[in-house]
mmCIF file of all heavy atoms in Angstrom:
data_model
loop_
_atom_site.group_PDB
_atom_site.id
_atom_site.type_symbol
_atom_site.label_atom_id
_atom_site.label_comp_id
_atom_site.label_asym_id
_atom_site.label_seq_id
_atom_site.Cartn_x
_atom_site.Cartn_y
_atom_site.Cartn_z
ATOM 1 N N PHE A 1 18.629 20.541 5.054
ATOM 2 C CA PHE A 1 17.596 19.564 4.609
ATOM 3 C C PHE A 1 17.383 18.468 5.662
ATOM 4 O O PHE A 1 16.213 18.024 5.795
ATOM 5 C CB PHE A 1 18.020 18.925 3.265
ATOM 6 C CG PHE A 1 16.871 18.210 2.606
ATOM 7 C CD1 PHE A 1 16.037 18.848 1.822
ATOM 8 C CD2 PHE A 1 16.715 16.823 2.796
ATOM 9 C CE1 PHE A 1 14.934 18.235 1.188
ATOM 10 C CE2 PHE A 1 15.600 16.193 2.227
ATOM 11 C CZ PHE A 1 14.729 16.871 1.429
ATOM 12 N N ASP A 2 18.410 18.135 6.380
ATOM 13 C CA ASP A 2 18.300 17.105 7.431
ATOM 14 C C ASP A 2 17.332 17.598 8.483
ATOM 15 O O ASP A 2 16.510 16.884 9.037
ATOM 16 C CB ASP A 2 19.604 16.731 8.036
ATOM 17 C CG ASP A 2 20.435 15.881 7.095
ATOM 18 O OD1 ASP A 2 19.936 15.288 6.181
ATOM 19 O OD2 ASP A 2 21.702 15.830 7.285
ATOM 20 N N GLU A 3 17.467 18.927 8.790
ATOM 21 C CA GLU A 3 16.523 19.475 9.788
ATOM 22 C C GLU A 3 15.060 19.525 9.242
ATOM 23 O O GLU A 3 14.114 19.308 9.959
ATOM 24 C CB GLU A 3 16.981 20.888 10.131
ATOM 25 C CG GLU A 3 18.338 20.936 10.863
ATOM 26 C CD GLU A 3 18.787 22.328 11.240
ATOM 27 O OE1 GLU A 3 17.952 23.232 11.112
ATOM 28 O OE2 GLU A 3 19.902 22.561 11.610
ATOM 29 N N TYR A 4 14.992 19.820 7.972
ATOM 30 C CA TYR A 4 13.668 19.814 7.382
ATOM 31 C C TYR A 4 13.031 18.437 7.454
ATOM 32 O O TYR A 4 11.854 18.226 7.797
ATOM 33 C CB TYR A 4 13.742 20.260 5.904
ATOM 34 C CG TYR A 4 12.459 20.165 5.158
ATOM 35 C CD1 TYR A 4 11.416 21.065 5.369
ATOM 36 C CD2 TYR A 4 12.202 19.108 4.246
ATOM 37 C CE1 TYR A 4 10.159 20.953 4.664
ATOM 38 C CE2 TYR A 4 10.988 18.991 3.577
ATOM 39 C CZ TYR A 4 10.024 19.909 3.852
ATOM 40 O OH TYR A 4 8.824 19.764 3.139
ATOM 41 N N ARG A 5 13.830 17.398 7.050
ATOM 42 C CA ARG A 5 13.349 16.058 7.088
ATOM 43 C C ARG A 5 12.895 15.623 8.520
ATOM 44 O O ARG A 5 11.804 15.040 8.702
ATOM 45 C CB ARG A 5 14.452 15.066 6.685
ATOM 46 C CG ARG A 5 13.986 13.580 6.671
ATOM 47 C CD ARG A 5 15.128 12.604 6.463
ATOM 48 N NE ARG A 5 15.631 12.742 5.081
ATOM 49 C CZ ARG A 5 16.752 13.230 4.790
ATOM 50 N NH1 ARG A 5 17.598 13.786 5.727
ATOM 51 N NH2 ARG A 5 17.209 13.319 3.527
ATOM 52 N N ASP A 6 13.671 16.037 9.506
ATOM 53 C CA ASP A 6 13.374 15.734 10.931
ATOM 54 C C ASP A 6 12.047 16.404 11.331
ATOM 55 O O ASP A 6 11.287 15.881 12.053
ATOM 56 C CB ASP A 6 14.489 16.151 11.841
ATOM 57 C CG ASP A 6 15.759 15.266 11.672
ATOM 58 O OD1 ASP A 6 15.638 14.140 11.158
ATOM 59 O OD2 ASP A 6 16.834 15.753 12.104
ATOM 60 N N SER A 7 11.941 17.640 10.824
ATOM 61 C CA SER A 7 10.649 18.381 11.141
ATOM 62 C C SER A 7 9.440 17.699 10.610
ATOM 63 O O SER A 7 8.363 17.688 11.198
ATOM 64 C CB SER A 7 10.753 19.827 10.718
ATOM 65 O OG SER A 7 10.672 19.923 9.255
ATOM 66 N N VAL A 8 9.548 17.154 9.375
ATOM 67 C CA VAL A 8 8.426 16.429 8.777
ATOM 68 C C VAL A 8 8.084 15.199 9.616
ATOM 69 O O VAL A 8 6.954 14.914 9.906
ATOM 70 C CB VAL A 8 8.747 16.024 7.346
ATOM 71 C CG1 VAL A 8 7.659 15.078 6.754
ATOM 72 C CG2 VAL A 8 8.929 17.238 6.489
ATOM 73 N N ILE A 9 9.117 14.391 9.966
ATOM 74 C CA ILE A 9 8.948 13.190 10.794
ATOM 75 C C ILE A 9 8.293 13.562 12.151
ATOM 76 O O ILE A 9 7.347 12.884 12.607
ATOM 77 C CB ILE A 9 10.276 12.468 10.965
ATOM 78 C CG1 ILE A 9 10.779 11.964 9.606
ATOM 79 C CG2 ILE A 9 10.092 11.310 11.898
ATOM 80 C CD1 ILE A 9 12.198 11.353 9.646
ATOM 81 N N GLU A 10 8.812 14.561 12.738
ATOM 82 C CA GLU A 10 8.305 14.962 14.065
ATOM 83 C C GLU A 10 6.860 15.424 13.997
ATOM 84 O O GLU A 10 6.074 15.184 14.845
ATOM 85 C CB GLU A 10 9.205 16.100 14.610
ATOM 86 C CG GLU A 10 8.809 16.525 16.040
ATOM 87 C CD GLU A 10 9.694 17.617 16.544
ATOM 88 O OE1 GLU A 10 10.793 17.860 15.936
ATOM 89 O OE2 GLU A 10 9.351 18.204 17.568
ATOM 90 N N GLY A 11 6.566 16.234 12.892
ATOM 91 C CA GLY A 11 5.203 16.711 12.752
ATOM 92 C C GLY A 11 4.185 15.561 12.716
ATOM 93 O O GLY A 11 3.153 15.625 13.383
ATOM 94 N N PHE A 12 4.410 14.572 11.952
ATOM 95 C CA PHE A 12 3.496 13.457 11.796
ATOM 96 C C PHE A 12 3.494 12.602 13.093
ATOM 97 O O PHE A 12 2.439 12.095 13.513
ATOM 98 C CB PHE A 12 3.847 12.595 10.593
ATOM 99 C CG PHE A 12 3.355 13.163 9.302
ATOM 100 C CD1 PHE A 12 4.175 14.009 8.518
ATOM 101 C CD2 PHE A 12 2.089 12.909 8.825
ATOM 102 C CE1 PHE A 12 3.764 14.548 7.382
ATOM 103 C CE2 PHE A 12 1.630 13.442 7.658
ATOM 104 C CZ PHE A 12 2.441 14.305 6.904
ATOM 105 N N ALA A 13 4.623 12.492 13.733
ATOM 106 C CA ALA A 13 4.707 11.693 14.970
ATOM 107 C C ALA A 13 3.882 12.362 16.055
ATOM 108 O O ALA A 13 3.349 11.683 16.915
ATOM 109 C CB ALA A 13 6.164 11.589 15.405
ATOM 110 N N THR A 14 3.813 13.713 16.005
ATOM 111 C CA THR A 14 3.021 14.409 17.008
ATOM 112 C C THR A 14 1.535 14.003 16.975
ATOM 113 O O THR A 14 0.851 13.939 17.937
ATOM 114 C CB THR A 14 3.099 15.942 16.809
ATOM 115 O OG1 THR A 14 4.483 16.283 16.954
ATOM 116 C CG2 THR A 14 2.336 16.668 17.866
ATOM 117 N N TRP A 15 1.107 13.641 15.734
ATOM 118 C CA TRP A 15 -0.240 13.202 15.570
ATOM 119 C C TRP A 15 -0.389 11.669 15.731
ATOM 120 O O TRP A 15 -1.432 11.098 15.422
ATOM 121 C CB TRP A 15 -0.737 13.574 14.097
ATOM 122 C CG TRP A 15 -1.213 14.955 14.025
ATOM 123 C CD1 TRP A 15 -0.466 16.125 14.178
ATOM 124 C CD2 TRP A 15 -2.560 15.436 13.882
ATOM 125 N NE1 TRP A 15 -1.209 17.209 14.010
ATOM 126 C CE2 TRP A 15 -2.504 16.759 13.810
ATOM 127 C CE3 TRP A 15 -3.785 14.772 13.608
ATOM 128 C CZ2 TRP A 15 -3.667 17.632 13.628
ATOM 129 C CZ3 TRP A 15 -4.943 15.528 13.420
ATOM 130 C CH2 TRP A 15 -4.847 16.949 13.466
ATOM 131 N N GLY A 16 0.630 11.045 16.136
ATOM 132 C CA GLY A 16 0.591 9.589 16.339
ATOM 133 C C GLY A 16 0.663 8.830 15.061
ATOM 134 O O GLY A 16 0.164 7.680 14.956
ATOM 135 N N ILE A 17 1.254 9.472 14.012
ATOM 136 C CA ILE A 17 1.301 8.850 12.684
ATOM 137 C C ILE A 17 2.735 8.247 12.413
ATOM 138 O O ILE A 17 3.703 9.035 12.452
ATOM 139 C CB ILE A 17 0.904 9.826 11.540
ATOM 140 C CG1 ILE A 17 -0.503 10.387 11.800
ATOM 141 C CG2 ILE A 17 0.990 9.182 10.209
ATOM 142 C CD1 ILE A 17 -0.820 11.618 10.996
ATOM 143 N N GLU A 18 2.799 7.001 12.185
ATOM 144 C CA GLU A 18 4.058 6.378 11.776
ATOM 145 C C GLU A 18 3.899 5.788 10.392
ATOM 146 O O GLU A 18 3.342 4.701 10.260
ATOM 147 C CB GLU A 18 4.433 5.301 12.801
ATOM 148 C CG GLU A 18 5.843 4.775 12.541
ATOM 149 C CD GLU A 18 6.264 3.745 13.580
ATOM 150 O OE1 GLU A 18 5.529 3.698 14.634
ATOM 151 O OE2 GLU A 18 7.227 3.009 13.322
ATOM 152 N N PRO A 19 4.321 6.514 9.339
ATOM 153 C CA PRO A 19 4.086 6.052 7.966
ATOM 154 C C PRO A 19 4.887 4.791 7.694
ATOM 155 O O PRO A 19 5.900 4.556 8.341
ATOM 156 C CB PRO A 19 4.526 7.235 7.130
ATOM 157 C CG PRO A 19 5.564 7.960 7.938
ATOM 158 C CD PRO A 19 5.061 7.795 9.357
ATOM 159 N N ASP A 20 4.460 4.070 6.727
ATOM 160 C CA ASP A 20 5.163 2.811 6.285
ATOM 161 C C ASP A 20 6.459 3.201 5.460
ATOM 162 O O ASP A 20 7.305 2.366 5.282
ATOM 163 C CB ASP A 20 4.268 1.942 5.452
ATOM 164 C CG ASP A 20 3.126 1.354 6.329
ATOM 165 O OD1 ASP A 20 2.095 2.080 6.394
ATOM 166 O OD2 ASP A 20 3.285 0.287 6.848
ATOM 167 N N GLY A 21 6.519 4.411 5.068
ATOM 168 C CA GLY A 21 7.731 4.905 4.366
ATOM 169 C C GLY A 21 7.646 6.337 4.085
ATOM 170 O O GLY A 21 6.510 6.949 4.064
ATOM 171 N N LEU A 22 8.769 7.040 3.909
ATOM 172 C CA LEU A 22 8.762 8.499 3.645
ATOM 173 C C LEU A 22 9.751 8.746 2.493
ATOM 174 O O LEU A 22 10.948 8.352 2.564
ATOM 175 C CB LEU A 22 9.173 9.255 4.909
ATOM 176 C CG LEU A 22 9.391 10.758 4.770
ATOM 177 C CD1 LEU A 22 8.128 11.416 4.357
ATOM 178 C CD2 LEU A 22 9.843 11.279 6.139
ATOM 179 N N PHE A 23 9.274 9.413 1.419
ATOM 180 C CA PHE A 23 10.102 9.694 0.272
ATOM 181 C C PHE A 23 10.065 11.179 0.015
ATOM 182 O O PHE A 23 9.041 11.873 0.071
ATOM 183 C CB PHE A 23 9.574 8.996 -0.984
ATOM 184 C CG PHE A 23 9.603 7.455 -0.814
ATOM 185 C CD1 PHE A 23 8.474 6.821 -0.305
ATOM 186 C CD2 PHE A 23 10.720 6.683 -1.130
ATOM 187 C CE1 PHE A 23 8.452 5.426 -0.167
ATOM 188 C CE2 PHE A 23 10.691 5.311 -1.003
ATOM 189 C CZ PHE A 23 9.574 4.708 -0.486
ATOM 190 N N PHE A 24 11.280 11.742 -0.369
ATOM 191 C CA PHE A 24 11.418 13.137 -0.766
ATOM 192 C C PHE A 24 11.776 13.112 -2.242
ATOM 193 O O PHE A 24 12.775 12.447 -2.660
ATOM 194 C CB PHE A 24 12.547 13.833 0.008
ATOM 195 C CG PHE A 24 12.182 13.959 1.523
ATOM 196 C CD1 PHE A 24 12.494 12.891 2.401
ATOM 197 C CD2 PHE A 24 11.457 15.027 1.940
ATOM 198 C CE1 PHE A 24 12.122 13.012 3.731
ATOM 199 C CE2 PHE A 24 11.160 15.151 3.338
ATOM 200 C CZ PHE A 24 11.452 14.133 4.194
ATOM 201 N N THR A 25 10.983 13.792 -3.074
ATOM 202 C CA THR A 25 11.183 13.673 -4.540
ATOM 203 C C THR A 25 11.144 15.053 -5.196
ATOM 204 O O THR A 25 10.586 16.031 -4.686
ATOM 205 C CB THR A 25 10.053 12.854 -5.158
ATOM 206 O OG1 THR A 25 8.802 13.434 -4.900
ATOM 207 C CG2 THR A 25 10.080 11.363 -4.562
ATOM 208 N N SER A 26 11.709 15.046 -6.408
ATOM 209 C CA SER A 26 11.657 16.189 -7.308
ATOM 210 C C SER A 26 11.541 15.668 -8.689
ATOM 211 O O SER A 26 12.373 14.853 -9.177
ATOM 212 C CB SER A 26 12.872 17.095 -7.122
ATOM 213 O OG SER A 26 12.849 18.108 -8.141
ATOM 214 N N LEU A 27 10.500 16.109 -9.393
ATOM 215 C CA LEU A 27 10.384 15.749 -10.825
ATOM 216 C C LEU A 27 11.038 16.788 -11.702
ATOM 217 O O LEU A 27 11.286 16.544 -12.909
ATOM 218 C CB LEU A 27 8.922 15.690 -11.216
ATOM 219 C CG LEU A 27 8.088 14.661 -10.415
ATOM 220 C CD1 LEU A 27 6.611 14.639 -10.836
ATOM 221 C CD2 LEU A 27 8.683 13.243 -10.428
ATOM 222 N N MET A 28 11.373 17.924 -11.166
ATOM 223 C CA MET A 28 11.994 19.041 -11.973
ATOM 224 C C MET A 28 13.497 18.902 -11.941
ATOM 225 O O MET A 28 14.135 19.141 -12.955
ATOM 226 C CB MET A 28 11.589 20.379 -11.329
ATOM 227 C CG MET A 28 10.069 20.641 -11.348
ATOM 228 S SD MET A 28 9.408 20.786 -13.028
ATOM 229 C CE MET A 28 10.164 22.305 -13.539
ATOM 230 N N GLU A 29 14.067 18.443 -10.800
ATOM 231 C CA GLU A 29 15.538 18.250 -10.729
ATOM 232 C C GLU A 29 15.799 16.800 -10.393
ATOM 233 O O GLU A 29 15.913 16.453 -9.211
ATOM 234 C CB GLU A 29 16.135 19.225 -9.639
ATOM 235 C CG GLU A 29 16.001 20.660 -9.960
ATOM 236 C CD GLU A 29 16.667 21.565 -8.880
ATOM 237 O OE1 GLU A 29 17.537 21.045 -8.166
ATOM 238 O OE2 GLU A 29 16.316 22.773 -8.799
ATOM 239 N N GLU A 30 15.938 16.009 -11.382
ATOM 240 C CA GLU A 30 16.149 14.633 -11.158
ATOM 241 C C GLU A 30 17.471 14.299 -10.433
ATOM 242 O O GLU A 30 17.555 13.301 -9.775
ATOM 243 C CB GLU A 30 16.074 13.860 -12.564
ATOM 244 C CG GLU A 30 14.754 13.944 -13.210
ATOM 245 C CD GLU A 30 14.696 13.105 -14.459
ATOM 246 O OE1 GLU A 30 15.709 12.336 -14.695
ATOM 247 O OE2 GLU A 30 13.735 13.279 -15.242
ATOM 248 N N ASP A 31 18.415 15.191 -10.631
ATOM 249 C CA ASP A 31 19.717 14.975 -10.047
ATOM 250 C C ASP A 31 19.819 15.651 -8.627
ATOM 251 O O ASP A 31 20.929 15.729 -8.073
ATOM 252 C CB ASP A 31 20.820 15.435 -10.976
ATOM 253 C CG ASP A 31 20.723 16.904 -11.257
ATOM 254 O OD1 ASP A 31 19.640 17.436 -10.950
ATOM 255 O OD2 ASP A 31 21.655 17.452 -11.945
ATOM 256 N N HIS A 32 18.731 16.055 -8.089
ATOM 257 C CA HIS A 32 18.741 16.684 -6.723
ATOM 258 C C HIS A 32 19.331 15.679 -5.766
ATOM 259 O O HIS A 32 18.981 14.440 -5.759
ATOM 260 C CB HIS A 32 17.346 17.035 -6.340
ATOM 261 C CG HIS A 32 17.328 17.940 -5.125
ATOM 262 N ND1 HIS A 32 17.566 17.609 -3.877
ATOM 263 C CD2 HIS A 32 16.969 19.338 -5.051
ATOM 264 C CE1 HIS A 32 17.453 18.528 -3.034
ATOM 265 N NE2 HIS A 32 17.072 19.668 -3.738
ATOM 266 N N ASP A 33 20.214 16.134 -4.868
ATOM 267 C CA ASP A 33 20.947 15.216 -3.948
ATOM 268 C C ASP A 33 19.917 14.435 -3.071
ATOM 269 O O ASP A 33 20.271 13.337 -2.617
ATOM 270 C CB ASP A 33 21.893 16.081 -3.078
ATOM 271 C CG ASP A 33 23.079 16.636 -3.818
ATOM 272 O OD1 ASP A 33 23.328 16.064 -4.904
ATOM 273 O OD2 ASP A 33 23.683 17.578 -3.369
ATOM 274 N N GLU A 34 18.869 15.014 -2.712
ATOM 275 C CA GLU A 34 17.890 14.348 -1.842
ATOM 276 C C GLU A 34 16.754 13.632 -2.555
ATOM 277 O O GLU A 34 15.838 13.190 -1.929
ATOM 278 C CB GLU A 34 17.314 15.359 -0.811
ATOM 279 C CG GLU A 34 18.385 16.143 -0.044
ATOM 280 C CD GLU A 34 19.180 15.269 0.851
ATOM 281 O OE1 GLU A 34 18.767 14.156 1.282
ATOM 282 O OE2 GLU A 34 20.296 15.646 1.262
ATOM 283 N N ASN A 35 16.817 13.630 -3.860
ATOM 284 C CA ASN A 35 15.698 13.077 -4.647
ATOM 285 C C ASN A 35 15.698 11.534 -4.410
ATOM 286 O O ASN A 35 16.626 10.849 -4.772
ATOM 287 C CB ASN A 35 15.882 13.362 -6.062
ATOM 288 C CG ASN A 35 14.626 13.035 -6.923
ATOM 289 O OD1 ASN A 35 13.666 12.609 -6.417
ATOM 290 N ND2 ASN A 35 14.716 13.205 -8.250
ATOM 291 N N MET A 36 14.478 11.004 -4.026
ATOM 292 C CA MET A 36 14.345 9.592 -3.776
ATOM 293 C C MET A 36 13.412 8.963 -4.755
ATOM 294 O O MET A 36 12.740 7.898 -4.505
ATOM 295 C CB MET A 36 13.814 9.389 -2.332
ATOM 296 C CG MET A 36 14.714 9.951 -1.222
ATOM 297 S SD MET A 36 14.070 9.780 0.416
ATOM 298 C CE MET A 36 14.020 8.011 0.641
ATOM 299 N N PHE A 37 13.235 9.563 -5.931
ATOM 300 C CA PHE A 37 12.227 9.035 -6.894
ATOM 301 C C PHE A 37 12.585 7.617 -7.278
ATOM 302 O O PHE A 37 11.733 6.753 -7.354
ATOM 303 C CB PHE A 37 12.327 9.892 -8.146
ATOM 304 C CG PHE A 37 11.306 9.451 -9.180
ATOM 305 C CD1 PHE A 37 10.012 9.787 -9.068
ATOM 306 C CD2 PHE A 37 11.707 8.626 -10.295
ATOM 307 C CE1 PHE A 37 9.072 9.358 -9.989
ATOM 308 C CE2 PHE A 37 10.808 8.129 -11.173
ATOM 309 C CZ PHE A 37 9.427 8.522 -11.046
ATOM 310 N N ASP A 38 13.850 7.292 -7.454
ATOM 311 C CA ASP A 38 14.235 5.926 -7.812
ATOM 312 C C ASP A 38 13.846 4.917 -6.692
ATOM 313 O O ASP A 38 13.354 3.832 -7.016
ATOM 314 C CB ASP A 38 15.695 5.806 -8.074
ATOM 315 C CG ASP A 38 16.127 6.570 -9.409
ATOM 316 O OD1 ASP A 38 15.239 6.757 -10.209
ATOM 317 O OD2 ASP A 38 17.283 6.875 -9.513
#
């Protein structure tokens, strides 16, 4: 998952996009280890 996260950040950076924040969420698995809904 860390590699996946890095690939997302890198993909947007390639377009010169620096978001104000990045969240990974799941509405189906609230207890997912990477869920940032809160």
Side-chain angles (χ1 to χ4, degrees):
F1 195 86
D2 288 340
E3 292 180 11
Y4 174 76
R5 180 189 293 107
D6 291 342
S7 70
V8 172
I9 295 172
E10 182 180 347
F12 281 92
T14 301
W15 278 68
I17 302 166
E18 186 177 346
D20 293 86
L22 174 60
F23 300 92
F24 295 88
T25 62
S26 172
L27 302 180
M28 300 295 292
E29 295 183 20
E30 295 184 12
D31 58 351
H32 192 289
D33 290 342
E34 303 297 338
N35 191 4
M36 301 174 68
F37 181 82
D38 290 341

